Every structure is written in structure tokens, then in C-alpha cells.
Amino acid sequence: MKQFVAAFGAEPEGVWAAPGRVNLIGEHTDYNDGFVLPFALPHRTVVGASRLDSPRWTVWSEQADERISFDLSTRVTGWGAYVAGVVWVLREAGFDVPGAQLAITSDVPLGAGLSSSAALESAVLTALVDLGGLDLPVDERPALAQKAENEYAGMPCGIMDQSASIRCRAGHALFLDCRSLDVEHIPFDVATDGLAVLVIDTRAPHRHVTGEYGKRRATCEEAARLLGVPALRDATPSSVSSLSDDVIRRRARHVVTEDQRVLDTVELLRSGRIREIGPLMTSSHASMRDDFEITVPEVDTAVEAALAAGAYGARMTGGGFGGCVLALVDADAAPVVADAVAAAYRAKGFTPPESFSAIPSAGATRL
């Protein structure tokens, strides 16, 4: 890895990678013990690493163009918190984490809702587990990476992003039950069906830690408390309709209906009816826009333009307030749809979007 050699003057002991992700459907259901259906992107964060003899970690990031060092007594902030948080959580779990030098590079877009933070955590965790020979089964790793982000980096995310980055398979979407953590790999080979998932980076960066994500999560927890259920996973449409507060009722309605949309999407994919998931994607977006209120004008414009240009379905993906839109399209129509979205942006004076077709890819691995 040339970046490691440039930073540390020697070849690394190994190189590891973990992908970003998009969520096909199932937004804000993960922390409500519900269901999600993400798939991994070919875009990856890559970590070259070598062990040190002392409990100290020196990390160089190509994207930040910065080197940081920390030991067990250091509290790290900024991008380095996602690295230091992994060391912290592994030690909290009782593992003897080796000191290390790490060089990090990534082509996962930042601030686009494609889980660049989970890709970083998952790549670093995979590297440190391998370097230290730690006995940590793959199915237990997402929860630790999530804890690092929740408790060290201060982002109250659910477990979906880390699960996708670590556990996805190429050509499949990951059907994850966020309560039991059971997974099923659902075939999602869009190219074979002459389709593509167009990812449109709306260039409206989202920033969760500033509070809106946390507010939505707190409202969902309050709704569950008022309904007397452990989580909104256990609520029903009729019980949600009984909530007297309009905002709480609409937030809860989104979660309950979104869980059902995930289950319906999985059933369609199991039977190979990929095109028929389009209306579920579009319905999901309407729910995020109207009930959960997490979309922004750039996102809504992209969805509307994609649908008008012939997409089978389109929706925002990620936590909201910016980020990316997914559009299910015929493969040969992807450039046409992308151009239509760009034209709609020009008409409204928005920053030009960027688009690419996503290929369902593999999770974290040693290269």
C-alpha cells in the first residue's frame, strides 16, 4: 500500500478494506428494533496497518491529510474518534488490542449518507482483530463498531451501517432483523435483470450529530413508551393512530409502515420480482418526507425528476437532511435519468448532483 509506505517508510503487515453502503429500504427502523435492507457499495475505506510493541496508535489519513497519535489516556476528537473509538471498544470488551501504525484512504464520499464513518470503523476493526489475532466472530463485530460510534464518537446510530459494512455479500442485499441480529442474504443481482440502482449524490451534505437525528430517535422512544411496547417494532398501525400528539403519531407511523415495506420488498426479491419494488421505494420516500420530515428540497427534487424520467421507484437513502437518492432504473436508462435530475437541479439553481450506478458488493475483508 503506497500510502502506508509514504507515511511510515515501510510496507504494512497487511491491508484491509470495508465498504460504504446504501440502504435499499428501511430508514430509521434500525434503532426501533425493526428491519432494514442495505447493500454494500464498491466504494471502500482501505487501511494498511502494522503492529507496534507499545500500546500506542499512530494514524495517517489521506483524506484529512493529517497524522494523529494517541495512547490509552488520550481522548480523541474529529475523524480520529472513529479510529480511537474502535480501540476503546475492543479494550472495553476485554481484548488486548495491539498498538499499531495505520494509513487510511477511502473513496467513500463524505457527507453523502453512504456510511463513510461505518466503513472507517469496520476497516480499522477488521485490521486490528487480524493484527492481534483476536477471537471475535464476524457476527459480533457490528455491535462493537456501533458502540464505538454511539459512545465514543457521539453519534446515536443504529446497527445497520456497521452490519452492512461488515456482513454484506456481493450480489445480495442484507436483510437484517435489528432486534435478533439475524441476517439473510437476499439475491439482488440487478444487472442480470437489465436494471441498475442509480445513486444520486444530492450534494446537500447531512450532519446528524448536530441534533436532528437524535431528536427523531428520542421521539420514537417516547412513542414506544406511550404505547407501552419495548420498541416501535412492536407497534401496529391501529395502535399508532391512537397517539394524540400529531408529531409523535406521524414519526411512529413512518417507522411502522417502513418496517412493513421492508418485509414486502424482501418477499418480492425472493421471488425475483425486482421491478415491483419500485412503488415501495417511492412510498418510503413519501413517508420520510411527510411523516418523518427528514428530506430537503434537493432530495425531493431528485426523486421527483427521477420518477418523471421513468425510474421504477426512487427514495432518499440514509439518515436524512441531505445525502443520496436511489433510483431503480433500466440499466440503459441510467444516463437519461441522471441527466434529467441534473436538468432539474439547474432549473432550481442547486449545486450539480453526482451520480453513479451501484453494484451490490462484499463486506469487510483483508485484501
Side-chain angles (χ1 to χ4, degrees), residues 221-284:
E221 291 169 352
E222 174 65 6
R225 186 190 69 80
L226 291 170
L227 292 171
V229 294
L232 286 179
R233 149 74 168 273
D234 306 293
T236 64
S238 60
S239 67
V240 165
S241 67
S242 70
L243 292 166
S244 59
D245 183 280
D246 178 62
V247 172
I248 294 176
R249 182 175 61 253
R250 287 187 291 112
R251 302 293 188 260
R253 183 169 61 198
H254 164 73
V255 174
V256 171
T257 58
E258 186 79 345
D259 268 336
Q260 187 61 51
R261 283 186 286 269
V262 175
L263 298 177
D264 293 343
T265 298
V266 167
E267 285 304 309
L268 289 171
L269 293 180
R270 283 178 179 145
S271 58
R273 298 153 64 189
I274 297 181
R275 286 173 175 80
E276 294 179 43
I277 73 172
L280 292 167
M281 296 172 65
T282 304
S283 176
S284 170

Side-chain angles (χ1 to χ4, degrees), residues 53-337:
D53 292 334
S54 61
R56 186 167 188 85
W57 295 266
T58 300
V59 190
W60 177 81
S61 165
E62 184 176 49
Q63 280 61 46
D65 192 22
E66 182 182 10
R67 181 192 299 250
I68 63 168
S69 291
F70 60 93
D71 58 23
L72 298 177
S73 65
T74 310
R75 180 71 188 190
V76 181
T77 59
W79 66 267
Y82 296 99
V83 179
V86 170
V87 173
W88 170 79
V89 78
L90 286 170
R91 289 184 56 82
E92 283 284 299
F95 293 104
D96 184 13
V97 185
Q101 294 175 322
L102 304 101
I104 299 169
T105 185
S106 180
D107 64 357
V108 182
L110 299 176
L114 302 179
S115 293
S116 57
S117 59
L120 174 56
E121 293 154 356
S122 300
V124 170
L125 186 146
T126 305
L128 292 178
V129 166
D130 281 3
L131 279 179
L134 309 182
D135 183 16
L136 181 59
V138 170
D139 60 358
E140 296 178 13
R141 296 178 187 183
L144 290 184
Q146 178 202 13
K147 184 177 179 180
E149 185 151 349
N150 289 173
E151 299 186 20
Y152 195 99
M155 166 59 195
C157 65
I159 201 168
M160 175 184 66
D161 296 351
Q162 294 81 7
S163 295
S165 190
I166 291 171
R167 303 188 71 180
C168 274
R169 292 181 184 171
H172 293 76
L174 186 78
F175 177 37
L176 171 65
D177 180 329
C178 295
R179 172 171 285 165
S180 69
L181 303 185
D182 290 340
V183 302
E184 180 182 350
H185 298 278
I186 305 296
F188 190 56
D189 187 0
V190 288
T192 299
D193 284 81
L195 298 170
V197 177
L198 185 68
V199 179
I200 304 158
D201 183 351
T202 67
R203 308 296 296 279
H206 69 286
R207 293 177 178 83
H208 291 155
V209 182
T210 54
E212 288 299 327
Y213 185 105
K215 289 179 184 177
R216 296 304 186 281
R217 182 165 186 164
T219 301
C220 290
E221 291 169 352
E222 174 65 6
R225 186 190 69 80
L226 291 170
L227 292 171
V229 294
L232 286 179
R233 149 74 168 273
D234 306 293
T236 64
S238 60
S239 67
V240 165
S241 67
S242 70
L243 292 166
S244 59
D245 183 280
D246 178 62
V247 172
I248 294 176
R249 182 175 61 253
R250 287 187 291 112
R251 302 293 188 260
R253 183 169 61 198
H254 164 73
V255 174
V256 171
T257 58
E258 186 79 345
D259 268 336
Q260 187 61 51
R261 283 186 286 269
V262 175
L263 298 177
D264 293 343
T265 298
V266 167
E267 285 304 309
L268 289 171
L269 293 180
R270 283 178 179 145
S271 58
R273 298 153 64 189
I274 297 181
R275 286 173 175 80
E276 294 179 43
I277 73 172
L280 292 167
M281 296 172 65
T282 304
S283 176
S284 170
H285 183 80
S287 182
M288 289 186 284
R289 181 192 63 214
D290 301 334
D291 278 351
F292 223 62
E293 296 182 289
I294 55 174
T295 70
V296 294
E298 293 94 332
V299 164
D300 293 331
T301 296
V303 168
E304 292 160 8
L307 292 171
Y312 292 100
R315 65 182 292 275
M316 185 190 70
T317 185
F321 310 102
C324 287
V325 162
L326 303 183
L328 181 67
V329 300
D330 288 318
D332 57 6
V336 175
V337 176

